[in-house]
Amino acid sequence: MVHAIRGSVVTFKANPFALPVSECLTYEEDAIIVMDGGIITAFGPASEIQSTLSKDIHVTRYNDSLIMPGFIDCHVHYPQTEIIGAYGKQLLDWLNKYTFVAEQAFRDKEHASEVARVFLRECLRAGTTTATVFCTVDPTSVDAFFEKSQKLNMRNIAGKVLMDRNAPQALTDTPQSGYDQTKELIARWHGNGRQLYCVTPRFAPTSTPEQMEMTGAVWQEHPGTYLQSHVSENKGEIEWVKELYPDCNGYLDVYDRYGQLGPRAIHGHGVHLTEDEFQVLHDTGTAISHCPTSNLFLGSGLFSLETAMKSERPIRVGLATDLGAGTNFSQLVTMNEAYKVAQMSGYSLSAPHAFYLATRGAANALYLDDKIGSIEVGMEADITVLDLNATPVLEYRMKYARDIDEMLFVLMTLGDDRTARATYVAGELLYSRNPHITNEQFTKSLTTD
């Protein structure tokens, strides 16, 4: 069914870290987006598009709003939804005290399905239409997640965690079982509708060299799949990796040695990467997911966007919430924290640069910028609508915003999940904010057959 939406639109056509913002950001004050079969079939000024529409096409008007590509979350743990905001000292303490306890429940399909429902509901409420997701070691957790994602027709990337040491026995597999189960899940889910599979070694300390060898092998055997893990998040973790892999030249080199770098590999955090490691990321086309709320919550450190984006060897970077050490589903909140992290590092992150990292930049990090992350003809119609009047203070502040750059900055500093007014997935309206609908009713509406 053909339908259209109308309002102010912001999207990116190029990378503002490489080119002037004026050459990258597209702002149409009054535009129409036409969607058919999950694809954007027309986009441009309303004065040009309106006359091309047949009279039977309904156009939904969004006043006092900004329409933009759906947000993309490059690193998040859906099983940790139930432990958001859990007190912990630092990374390793937090993993053992909360994460490994919670994840043991995901062998229960009913439980895994319920958490997946809540997780995807909250993504949509925050305007997020695609996420790169860690499941647990149990294949059941993967099936539960993809079943819910597929029902919503979302383009999500996810995979079974591989972990054969330094974790509770109930959460470990073996090199061979991890390899076999990963192959089975790839066959079942990769390219099944809009679903994409991600080979998922949790991080180097929880996999033996034997498992790392088989992890690299299964990824290389399935071109087009993804690989995700963690790297250089915490200084204690880095020292632990040196002890476990003494023959490797640092943390990133572990993944390099075992064939886990390259296009469609995305590693979380990268807080303490060296210049040599940044160069390897650039040379291999490997991406980093920037997780500011998590890095601050666990005291891991300050990721340097300025260093990552050096013009002589820029790397691919996407923004990420990293729930549940991350503390909010909203990419607006994540941008807010990314700005503060950059400030602490002596670098000023502008609003256009921040929004790029959550849309087209994230899609570029995932090698999906030919499908999602921008509003243009031929792209998949994943769209979020942000309400400029979502809260009284936001409405008041917007009266004094002089231009689109200031509007975007106000959104990323004052906005949160309440700012998302509507979320479209493959051209279908899956979330529309209505204060009279409870979370329970919204969840039920997303899961009704």
Side-chain angles (χ1 to χ4, degrees):
M1 177 180 172
V2 181
H3 56 287
I5 58 177
R6 180 175 179 176
S8 297
V9 175
V10 169
T11 188
F12 291 88
K13 57 188 176 184
N15 180 0
F17 288 94
L19 297 169
V21 170
S22 60
E23 297 178 18
C24 303
L25 184 148
T26 296
Y27 173 52
E28 292 287 351
E29 193 167 357
D30 184 17
I32 290 177
I33 303 167
V34 183
M35 299 170 282
D36 185 16
I39 302 296
I40 296 170
T41 56
F43 164 57
S47 59
E48 297 177 7
I49 302 295
Q50 184 72 58
S51 61
T52 69
L53 302 179
S54 62
K55 294 181 179 180
D56 60 337
I57 295 178
H58 176 71
V59 180
T60 301
R61 183 78 177 254
Y62 289 105
N63 295 317
D64 300 315
S65 300
L66 278 182
I67 302 168
M68 60 179 53
F71 294 132
I72 301 167
D73 189 342
C74 285
H75 180 107
V76 61
H77 300 254
Y78 100 84
Q80 295 177 18
T81 303
E82 62 193 75
I83 59 168
I84 297 171
Y87 171 80
K89 294 178 181 178
Q90 286 201 337
L91 172 65
L92 301 179
D93 167 75
W94 189 85
L95 282 174
N96 287 309
K97 189 172 182 180
Y98 299 108
T99 302
F100 290 159
V101 175
E103 290 190 2
Q104 292 181 52
F106 281 75
R107 70 191 70 176
D108 180 341
K109 182 70 173 290
E110 184 176 350
H111 176 74
S113 296
E114 173 61 19
V115 177
R117 278 196 296 270
V118 173
F119 173 84
L120 292 170
R121 177 196 73 196
E122 293 303 306
C123 284
L124 294 171
R125 285 187 64 252
T128 295
T129 52
T130 290
T132 305
V133 181
F134 285 68
C135 301
T136 74
V137 71
D138 198 307
T140 299
S141 69
V142 183
D143 289 332
F145 177 81
F146 275 134
E147 285 168 8
K148 298 306 176 190
S149 175
Q150 188 174 59
K151 185 176 289 187
L152 298 170
N153 198 24
M154 296 176 73
R155 182 171 287 286
N156 282 316
I157 305 166
K160 162 198 148 55
V161 164
L162 297 161
M163 192 161 58
D164 70 337
R165 66 170 170 179
N166 295 322
Q169 186 175 358
L171 286 179
T172 58
D173 51 14
T174 68
Q176 189 63 55
S177 69
Y179 174 87
D180 292 342
Q181 289 170 347
T182 296
K183 286 193 70 169
E184 291 170 3
L185 289 165
I186 290 172
R188 183 150 64 246
W189 289 113
H190 187 67
N192 185 346
R194 302 183 76 201
Q195 312 312 305
L196 298 169
Y197 195 83
C198 199
V199 178
T200 307
R202 181 175 220 111
F203 65 153
T206 51
S207 286
T208 60
E210 293 76 18
Q211 182 166 74
M212 293 292 277
E213 191 78 48
M214 298 191 84
T215 296
V218 74
W219 186 44
Q220 299 297 333
E221 289 166 8
H222 295 86
T225 58
Y226 289 77
L227 184 137
Q228 64 183 344
S229 194
H230 300 76
V231 68
S232 297
E233 178 178 357
N234 172 283
K235 290 182 178 179
E237 167 205 21
I238 294 170
E239 293 304 312
W240 193 20
V241 171
K242 289 180 180 177
E243 295 173 6
L244 294 170
Y245 291 92
D247 296 333
C248 292
N249 299 318
Y251 200 158
L252 188 71
D253 189 49
V254 176
Y255 298 114
D256 200 4
R257 294 278 186 101
Y258 293 102
Q260 297 176 33
L261 301 182
R264 287 174 298 281
I266 184 160
H267 291 269
H269 304 282
V271 175
H272 304 287
L273 292 167
T274 66
E275 177 56 38
D276 287 345
E277 289 174 325
F278 276 117
Q279 186 66 53
V280 171
L281 292 170
H282 170 79
D283 292 342
T284 59
T286 304
I288 289 291
S289 54
H290 178 25
C291 311
T293 69
S294 170
N295 294 339
L296 292 173
F297 183 73
L298 293 177
S300 298
L302 307 175
F303 174 72
S304 176
L305 264 175
E306 183 180 25
T307 303
M309 297 302 191
K310 279 185 178 180
S311 59
E312 61 269 27
R313 54 107 193 93
I315 67 168
R316 295 170 185 251
V317 178
L319 201 62
T321 63
D322 191 31
L323 295 165
T327 52
N328 202 291
F329 279 85
S330 173
Q331 284 286 47
L332 295 174
V333 173
T334 307
M335 291 179 217
N336 186 357
E337 298 305 303
Y339 171 79
K340 295 171 187 174
V341 167
Q343 287 288 86
M344 291 296 293
S345 304
Y347 174 69
S348 184
L349 177 66
S350 79
H353 289 85
F355 275 89
Y356 171 79
L357 291 176
T359 55
R360 187 184 179 97
N364 176 261
L366 298 172
Y367 291 80
L368 284 173
D369 45 336
D370 61 333
K371 293 181 173 62
I372 59 174
S374 302
I375 295 176
E376 58 184 90
V377 174
M379 301 292 282
E380 296 173 356
D382 292 344
I383 293 169
T384 186
V385 182
L386 302 181
D387 184 358
L388 301 179
N389 299 335
T391 64
V393 71
L394 189 59
E395 180 179 7
Y396 181 77
R397 179 62 180 84
M398 281 297 174
K399 294 178 182 178
Y400 298 93
R402 296 163 295 180
D403 53 29
I404 185 60
D405 284 8
E406 188 169 2
M407 290 170 65
L408 291 174
F409 192 75
V410 171
L411 276 173
M412 75 182 240
T413 52
L414 298 181
D416 52 32
D417 62 306
R418 293 170 296 177
T419 311
R421 179 175 175 180
T423 305
Y424 290 81
V425 171
E428 297 297 321
L429 180 62
L430 291 193
Y431 169 68
S432 181
R433 192 186 62 225
N434 185 332
H436 303 295
I437 296 178
T438 66
N439 279 344
E440 182 180 354
Q441 290 170 320
F442 178 42
T443 301
K444 185 177 180 181
S445 72
L446 293 182
T447 57
T448 301
D449 291 323

